[in-house]
């Protein structure tokens, strides 16, 4: 629902070295390796990380061979765990796998060999897509700023600007909204792993100067903005050595930062026959084109599926009180212009490609280069709506 009063909203993000995000990236790196060699490969891959151990499990059916331990070590190295001081490194960690083939029952529903003779959804489920005109990227400002902060943490680490920073870290940004648009940032929270021997005052000063103020627009900050940096005083023990990481445990970071709804399904480690992933991408594509067309300032789209069935069991659009034409008309436009069957989604968005490793850190939405971020339907929708 549209809020008419001023309010404050908060979102968080995590760095690529956060253990849960490491798990997402490893699972998607394995998916990419399968798709490079076998466009018809089926992957449902889960990763668990703990001290000195990476455990990969799941269901993979493919005509190709993937060297999973190599993919794991290459990914961990690229993330930045190449120094034992940070408690985890790609050379010495153990890699254990437990992989089996996709269930034959599920395969029938996906391939059209079951009760229905076209590609159906790989599972039942409900997916949400969201878009807003409060930022150029059409994602909430809170999440956009949180992602930018964690990306900046990685940048100052990799470029040696702050050479004592470690791979693990988190950000959190609160934004004051007036008339539904971002007006100020009252609080920023940063937690960043660091090498031993660096005092807290140095870390706080450097993070404010080289990360926060280089990222958040000055007009959103004020003398009253609170900066919370490493508020436990020390963060030398991080990554999988400090916390277990699991695929799919940062789904709010992956999507819209807590704004709108979430169906509950994780995105990473799943090939696009799984509508948790492809349906979420399509819902975002629809929502973004509706907002770009000027049919609403904010838009949430829900799509729901039954396993083995191609056509959705339901479709809902919610303009959050910002619609320019009746929501019933917007929903009709969606039904008439977007084919929401799994096979059609895969073809429309060209999803059988190794593009997923890049999605697994800093959010799946609001980033250039991904097909679900296109707004190529906006002009047609605007024309048909008559606005």
């Amino acid at each position: 629902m549209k809020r008419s009063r001023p309010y404050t909203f908060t979102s968080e993000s995590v760095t690529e070295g956060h253990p849960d995000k490491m798990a997402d990236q490893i699972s998607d790196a394995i998916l990419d390796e399968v798709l490079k060699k076998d466009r018809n490969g089926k992957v449902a891959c889960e990763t668990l990380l703990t001290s000195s151990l990476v455990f990969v499990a799941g269901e993979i059916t493919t005509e190709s061979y993937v060297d999973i331990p190599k993919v794991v070590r290459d990914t961990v190295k690229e993330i930045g765990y190449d120094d034992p001081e940070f408690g985890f490194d790609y050379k010495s960690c153990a890699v254990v796998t437990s992989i089996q083939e996709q269930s034959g029952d599920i395969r029938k529903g996906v391939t059209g060999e079951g009760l229905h003779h076209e590609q159906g959804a790989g599972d039942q489920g409900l997916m949400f897509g969201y878009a807003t005109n409060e930022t150029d990227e059409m994602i909430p400002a809170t999440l956009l700023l949180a992602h930018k902060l964690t990306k900046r943490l990685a940048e100052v680490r990799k470029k040696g600007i702050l050479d004592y920073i470690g791979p693990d870290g988190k950000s959190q940004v609160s934004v004051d909204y007036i008339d539904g648009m971002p007006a100020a940032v009252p609080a920023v929270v940063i937690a960043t792993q660091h090498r031993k021997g660096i005092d807290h005052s140095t870390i706080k000063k450097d993070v404010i100067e080289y990360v926060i103020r280089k990222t958040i627009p000055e007009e959103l900050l004020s003398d009253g903005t609170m900066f919370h940096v490493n508020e436990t005083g020390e963060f030398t023990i991080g990554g999988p050595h400090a916390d277990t990481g699991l695929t799919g445990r940062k789904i709010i970071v992956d999507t819209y930062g807590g704004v709108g709804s979430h169906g509950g399904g994780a995105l990473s480690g799943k090939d696009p026959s799984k509508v948790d992933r492809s349906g979420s991408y399509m819902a975002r594509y629809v929502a973004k084109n509706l907002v770009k067309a000027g049919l609403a300032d904010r838009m949430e789209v829900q799509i729901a599926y039954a396993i083995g069935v191609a056509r959705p069991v339901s479709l809902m659009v919610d303009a959050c009180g910002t619609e320019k034409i009746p929501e019933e008309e917007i929903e009709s436009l969606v039904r008439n212009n977007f084919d929401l069957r799994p096979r059609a989604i895969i073809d429309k968005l060209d999803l059988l490609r190794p593009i997923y490793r890049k999605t697994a850190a800093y959010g799946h939405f609001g980033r250039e280069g991904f097909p679900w971020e296109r707004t190529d339907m906006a002009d047609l929708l605007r024309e048909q709506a008559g606005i």
Side-chain angles (χ1 to χ4, degrees), residues 42-64:
K42 297 294 182 287
V43 177
C45 179
E46 316 294 340
T47 302
L48 178 148
L49 298 99
T50 188
S51 183
S52 303
L53 173 67
V54 181
F55 183 74
V56 180
E59 297 76 48
I60 299 177
T61 301
T62 178
E63 299 293 328
S64 65

Side-chain angles (χ1 to χ4, degrees), residues 95-225:
V95 180
V96 178
T97 64
S98 179
I99 304 295
Q100 58 186 353
E101 290 188 348
Q102 182 187 54
S103 160
D105 295 336
I106 294 175
R107 186 191 69 247
K108 290 178 182 179
V110 171
T111 60
E113 299 172 30
L115 295 177
H116 306 276
H117 300 298
E118 64 176 320
Q119 180 169 339
D123 199 354
Q124 69 180 52
L126 50 141
M127 297 84 218
F128 287 92
Y130 182 81
T132 172
N133 66 2
E134 69 187 72
T135 63
D136 291 340
E137 293 82 356
M138 293 192 181
I139 62 170
T142 50
L143 183 63
L144 178 66
L145 294 174
H147 282 326
K148 287 186 175 182
L149 285 170
T150 50
K151 289 178 75 173
R152 179 62 180 170
L153 276 174
E155 183 180 26
V156 298
R157 169 174 61 90
K158 292 179 177 181
K159 290 184 176 180
I161 297 171
L162 300 178
D163 59 4
Y164 58 81
I165 293 293
D168 196 358
K170 301 177 75 173
S171 71
Q172 182 175 289
V173 180
S174 300
V175 173
D176 291 336
Y177 283 81
I178 298 176
D179 294 328
M181 298 299 286
V185 171
V188 179
V189 181
I190 296 285
T192 181
Q193 186 182 17
H194 60 89
R195 297 186 186 277
K196 295 178 181 179
I198 311 299
D199 64 89
H200 178 258
S201 60
T202 297
I203 296 170
K204 183 168 184 176
K205 175 180 175 296
D206 286 348
V207 167
I208 292 173
E209 179 179 354
Y210 293 102
V211 178
I212 298 175
R213 292 196 178 278
K214 293 290 186 182
T215 302
I216 298 180
E218 193 64 34
E219 62 268 20
L220 293 178
L221 301 175
S222 70
D223 292 340
T225 300

Side-chain angles (χ1 to χ4, degrees), residues 266-281:
L267 302 180
S268 289
K270 300 175 181 178
D271 73 80
S273 71
K274 281 72 173 174
V275 286
D276 281 340
R277 179 161 228 157
S278 54
S280 296
Y281 291 163

